[in-house]
Amino acid sequence: MGNRVYNFSAGPSMLPLEVIDTAAREILDFDGSGMSIMEMSHRSKTFSRVIEDAERNLRTLMDIPDDYYVLFLQGGATLQFSMVPMNLLGKSGKADYIVTGAWADKAAKEAAKFGDIRVVASSKESNYAYIPKVEAADFRSDADYVHITYNNTIYGTRYPYIPDTGDVPLVTDLSSAILSERVDVRRFGLIYAGAQKNIAPAGLTVVIVRKDMVGGAPANVPVYLDYKTHTEGASMYNTPPAWCIYVAGEVFKTLIKDGGLETVERRNRAKAGRLYAYIEGSKLYSAPAAEIDRSLMNVVFVTGDPALDKRFVAEAREEGLVELGGHRSIGGMRASIYNAMPEEGVDKLIAFMKKFEDANL
Ligand SMILES: *Cc1c(COP(=O)(O)O)cnc(C)c1O
């Protein structure tokens, strides 16, 4: 442990200590191969086992049915803002987006290059402080898909419900919530997530896509951006991000050993619940996000005085509580408390908040 800090960064973010330990231990000699995963052919038997185990364990954790592919890709969640419309706008060329933050807005704007995109609902007028309520009748029935951003990393909001889209497939950016709670994969046509929030180092993107959603890309879609290339190549059409997949696999094993997503969700609800309860009861801090829409992963709060916020972040850093500054677009504070943030880290943060409040009220 030594001088490790409590890192509240929104991403890249903390990884479980036992996974870092394992990776460090195996870095010179993975499983008797005499080399590390970083140096190993992705076509080797040893690596095949790593990627197959990772996929199987992710399927177990998220209860992913057999009629879905699991892909390990590169390009971040951002490349999915392009790949989703490039692949899925094959029928009517229409898609409906709900805009609940900067990432959702980027996804919608990118999609508009490829088809007829309608923003069905947005909470921009409130600086994205809540999740709009929508129902099936709000969507175009001939849309090729509906897109939502399940957890809004910057604003600290999260869907308290999965929108009913009727027969239209639902697509979600799950980057900052994947594996933090149980999510019913069957409600979605496609789920994507950059790994660096809750799974692995940056450089890996997980895509979970229903099999019937793949294969409809127009002929002029670049081969690398067609999901079919990657489903047919079992995520190994070209060299995959092998190291990230290995670390992701170790994280999956840890989560299964710890009792799966039911346990993880219970722990995350407890961590976030304690923090929000403290904020609610305090005189100095407030959380801008609507209460029922509050994120379990990114807890956004302010004192109301930008200069005091800055001092909070600086003094917290002195105590080994780092990266508590809000996103550069909104300021204030943000505590990202992903799976790997121990309960102790949250308790230390609350203790610091109390001390800071006592000194500054
Ligand atoms: C971080 C984040 C992104 C961007 O991810 P990259 O992997 O850097 O492209 C997109 N969406 C959400 C919700 C995020 O939190």
Side-chain angles (χ1 to χ4, degrees), residues 62 74 88 109 166 183 199 221 237 239 283 293 298 301:
M62 292 183 72
Q74 306 189 46
L88 303 188
K109 291 203 165 106
V183 169
I199 301 182
V221 166
Y237 173 73
T239 318
K283 294 200 175 62
D293 301 329
N298 312 99
F301 58 98

Side-chain angles (χ1 to χ4, degrees), residues 95-135:
D96 289 348
Y97 277 65
I98 303 179
V99 174
T100 50
W103 295 119
D105 186 52
K106 279 193 174 151
K109 291 203 165 106
E110 181 66 7
K113 293 180 185 169
F114 302 102
D116 169 1
I117 303 305
R118 203 178 68 168
V119 174
V120 167
S122 164
S123 49
K124 188 167 200 291
E125 87 291 342
S126 72
N127 202 21
Y128 302 120
Y130 70 97
I131 301 291
K133 306 281 165 296
V134 291
E135 44 193 68

Side-chain angles (χ1 to χ4, degrees), residues 109-312:
K109 291 203 165 106
E110 181 66 7
K113 293 180 185 169
F114 302 102
D116 169 1
I117 303 305
R118 203 178 68 168
V119 174
V120 167
S122 164
S123 49
K124 188 167 200 291
E125 87 291 342
S126 72
N127 202 21
Y128 302 120
Y130 70 97
I131 301 291
K133 306 281 165 296
V134 291
E135 44 193 68
D138 296 327
F139 302 109
R140 292 178 289 186
S141 59
D142 63 342
D144 287 334
Y145 65 93
V146 169
H147 181 282
I148 64 169
T149 307
Y150 185 80
N151 184 75
N152 296 278
T153 324
I154 298 175
Y155 311 89
T157 62
R158 155 190 168 279
Y159 278 77
Y161 70 106
I162 307 275
D164 174 8
T165 57
D167 292 331
V168 181
L170 183 58
V171 173
T172 190
D173 177 351
L174 197 60
S175 294
S176 47
I178 191 164
L179 298 179
S180 68
E181 60 175 308
R182 288 163 298 177
V183 169
D184 184 0
V185 172
R186 293 165 183 79
R187 298 288 302 274
F188 297 91
L190 188 149
I191 293 171
Y192 63 90
Q196 71 276 18
K197 309 282 163 64
N198 216 7
I199 301 182
L204 170 67
T205 311
V206 173
V207 174
I208 299 162
V209 56
R210 211 172 58 214
K211 290 185 172 167
D212 67 294
M213 308 273 292
V214 175
N220 66 349
V221 166
V223 64
Y224 200 68
L225 302 184
D226 188 337
Y227 289 124
K228 195 154 165 261
T229 303
H230 300 286
T231 59
E232 287 180 346
S235 299
M236 294 234 259
Y237 173 73
N238 69 333
T239 318
W243 173 256
C244 299
I245 292 169
Y246 156 69
V247 178
E250 291 303 314
V251 169
F252 301 156
K253 284 185 210 164
T254 309
L255 296 177
I256 289 174
K257 184 166 61 77
D258 287 354
L261 293 194
E262 197 178 327
T263 308
V264 171
E265 177 175 337
R266 193 177 335 111
R267 201 185 297 148
N268 285 331
R269 284 185 184 280
K271 285 185 328 193
R274 280 216 290 285
L275 196 42
Y276 285 121
Y278 173 71
I279 292 167
E280 283 304 312
S282 95
K283 294 200 175 62
L284 183 61
Y285 311 100
S286 62
E291 197 170 337
I292 62 158
D293 301 329
R294 283 179 184 163
S295 171
L296 299 178
M297 294 287 99
N298 312 99
V299 177
V300 172
F301 58 98
V302 295
T303 65
D305 171 359
L308 196 58
D309 289 349
K310 264 193 146 150
R311 207 145 59 67
F312 178 97

